[in-house]
Amino acid sequence: MSETPWLTIIGIGEDGVAGLNAASQAALHAADVIMAPPRHLSMIPEGSAERIEWPVPFANGIAILASLRGKQVAVLASGDPFWFGTGSVIARSFGPDEWRAFPTASCFALAASQLGWALDKTHCVGLHAAPMARLRRHLAPGTQIIATLRDGGGVHDLAAYLNGAGFGDSTLTIFEHLGGPQERITISKAATLTGTFDHPVCAAIKVAGDGPSLTTATGQTDSTFKSDGQMTKRPIRAITLSTLAPKPHEHLWDVGAGSGSIALEWLLAHPTTRATCIEPRADRAARIRQNADDLGVEHRLTIINGNAPETLTGIDTPDAIFVGGGLSTDLLESVIALNTRLVVNAVTLEGEAFLANAQTQYGGELMRIEIAKTKPLGAKRGWSASYPVVQWSLNR
């Protein structure tokens, strides 16, 4: 890079300017403008640079920052700006030759070094601007989590969430003003947490308790999802997800979504997957939203309350499509035209005949899935068969 960029993103810790490296201090000294939240501005000694408080909501600050082109600008952020911080938002808003960054130790690194935890084996989660349910996928005994929190009140919200999920025995290590002269550390079980806490704050969680944990395989227990009975049950769902074969960054359409269990398991498969549920019944669409909220995947899910294929226009292109209900000739022609992975399940004779004709016309694979479970038969036991499911898959 031949010239020094006009914008410098500087990570600052609770020890203020004293903890900055030489490059960060030089960038601050050379700045015409320092832009930061009030707390960070208070850490910087008075000087000739203009000071601008970063506004709330955060997004409004980007336009202000853009208006400062032509000046040397330093933006202050907590710790490592690229760990759940402002760095990535600023970086994607400006050209790569316009900015540079000087991070300092993140709260995750500082907390792990206090606890002796291997950071590569610890889940790091940003809860300062996200619901507590983002923890759901990580809640299993023995798991280590470090989470940023919105403020002191967020500590009690965290404890209440863990309690409600059946993990009140989890050990919380609460860090206030971590790495600075006001640093305070509190250790407590989630179930017995008391006291007040100051911002900035983060928490380390050693998960313990007998609450239900999510499996790392496909096929979550049926009780994971709220449903009115219209749901692809666990064994069939596991096979269906295996056939859909979710991959990182892929987008699924779940047509006739019911409880949304297929889309939700798709979202649980990887933190970068996305899904769109198309469901004609408003009560079921609302239930899908509640399930997504409970599992902490709501931010990657779009729900469309309407009929397919009429509602399929204007949606982000899918990498895979699952049709679990409402199959018709018009719908089939619409999804076939997208030339993507397609999986369709049917349980009726009419649906089976429809899929047999589709396979003859378009190719792909047909699979008949028959499952039986034991049940009492007098003084002994016998097999009780479920309705067979015919699955047609087409990979284009």
Side-chain angles (χ1 to χ4, degrees):
M1 200 175 292
S2 56
E3 295 184 2
T4 300
W6 64 271
L7 173 58
T8 304
I9 308 167
I10 299 173
I12 188 168
E14 287 300 295
D15 50 356
V17 175
L20 297 180
N21 60 26
S24 297
Q25 295 205 29
L28 268 180
H29 181 74
D32 302 311
V33 181
I34 300 173
M35 189 170 174
R39 186 174 68 85
H40 291 146
L41 288 176
S42 69
M43 297 178 176
I44 305 301
E46 291 293 337
S48 60
E50 178 186 359
R51 293 170 175 241
I52 299 177
E53 290 188 6
W54 197 284
V56 177
F58 176 83
N60 293 348
I62 298 298
I64 297 173
L65 196 56
S67 72
L68 298 172
R69 281 189 177 96
K71 300 180 179 181
Q72 283 295 310
V73 181
V75 173
L76 303 182
S78 295
D80 185 343
F82 292 88
W83 268 90
F84 300 102
T86 63
S88 60
V89 178
I90 295 173
R92 66 173 174 257
S93 303
F94 298 95
D97 59 341
E98 294 188 88
W99 61 272
R100 59 180 176 168
F102 299 126
T104 190
S106 68
C107 64
F108 302 106
L110 292 171
S113 66
Q114 292 265 14
L115 296 163
W117 288 2
L119 200 52
D120 58 301
K121 296 178 175 64
T122 300
H123 297 287
C124 297
V125 184
L127 298 179
H128 50 284
M132 294 295 166
R134 297 285 168 84
L135 292 174
R136 182 66 185 90
R137 65 187 296 126
H138 305 304
L139 294 183
T143 301
Q144 297 175 168
I145 305 168
I146 300 174
T148 60
L149 298 169
R150 179 188 68 255
D151 52 28
V155 178
H156 289 281
D157 293 340
L158 171 63
Y161 177 78
L162 292 171
N163 255 327
F167 294 95
D169 284 340
S170 299
T171 300
L172 299 182
T173 305
I174 313 301
F175 297 96
E176 301 168 77
H177 300 280
L178 184 56
Q182 294 178 289
E183 179 178 282
R184 185 170 73 126
I185 300 174
T186 303
I187 301 175
S188 172
K189 296 290 186 183
T192 57
L193 182 73
T194 59
T196 59
F197 303 91
D198 292 333
H199 175 75
V201 61
C202 70
I205 310 162
K206 184 73 170 182
V207 180
D210 56 6
S213 299
L214 299 178
T215 176
T216 57
T218 57
Q220 302 293 334
T221 59
D222 292 344
S223 61
T224 302
F225 312 99
K226 294 179 175 67
S227 170
D228 60 2
Q230 188 68 22
M231 178 174 65
T232 304
K233 300 301 191 292
R234 182 185 60 80
I236 302 299
R237 190 180 340 112
I239 294 171
T240 300
L241 264 294
S242 177
T243 308
L244 285 167
K247 300 179 183 66
H249 306 285
E250 287 193 329
H251 179 208
L252 172 75
W253 286 3
D254 185 350
V255 182
S259 67
S261 62
I262 293 292
L264 294 168
E265 288 231 31
W266 173 279
L267 294 173
L268 288 171
H270 195 270
T272 64
T273 52
R274 295 182 299 125
T276 297
C277 286
I278 298 93
E279 171 51 53
R281 283 181 46 171
D283 59 332
R284 288 178 177 167
R287 194 174 291 115
I288 294 169
R289 173 60 62 193
Q290 182 60 60
N291 283 329
D293 288 343
D294 291 346
L295 292 169
V297 295
E298 80 296 334
H299 57 303
R300 295 185 280 124
L301 177 67
T302 300
I303 301 173
I304 297 174
N305 180 205
N307 292 297
E310 295 84 356
T311 56
L312 297 183
T313 57
I315 310 174
D316 287 350
T317 303
D319 299 287
I321 301 172
F322 171 67
V323 180
L327 185 62
S328 65
T329 300
D330 288 345
L331 174 57
L332 182 62
E333 290 176 351
S334 296
V335 295
I336 286 288
L338 293 168
N339 290 311
T340 189
R341 301 199 305 277
L342 175 65
V343 177
V344 185
N345 287 356
V347 295
T348 65
L349 290 174
E350 292 79 5
E352 183 174 338
F354 189 100
L355 294 187
N357 290 333
Q359 196 256 356
T360 299
Q361 183 176 358
Y362 297 106
E365 295 184 0
L366 275 177
M367 177 168 58
R368 184 180 173 90
I369 308 166
E370 299 185 70
I371 295 173
K373 296 181 179 179
T374 60
K375 74 171 187 178
L377 192 62
K380 299 186 179 181
R381 294 174 299 161
W383 290 106
S384 176
S386 302
Y387 287 115
V389 174
V390 174
Q391 183 176 98
W392 176 49
S393 57
L394 184 64
N395 196 345
R396 290 190 164 189

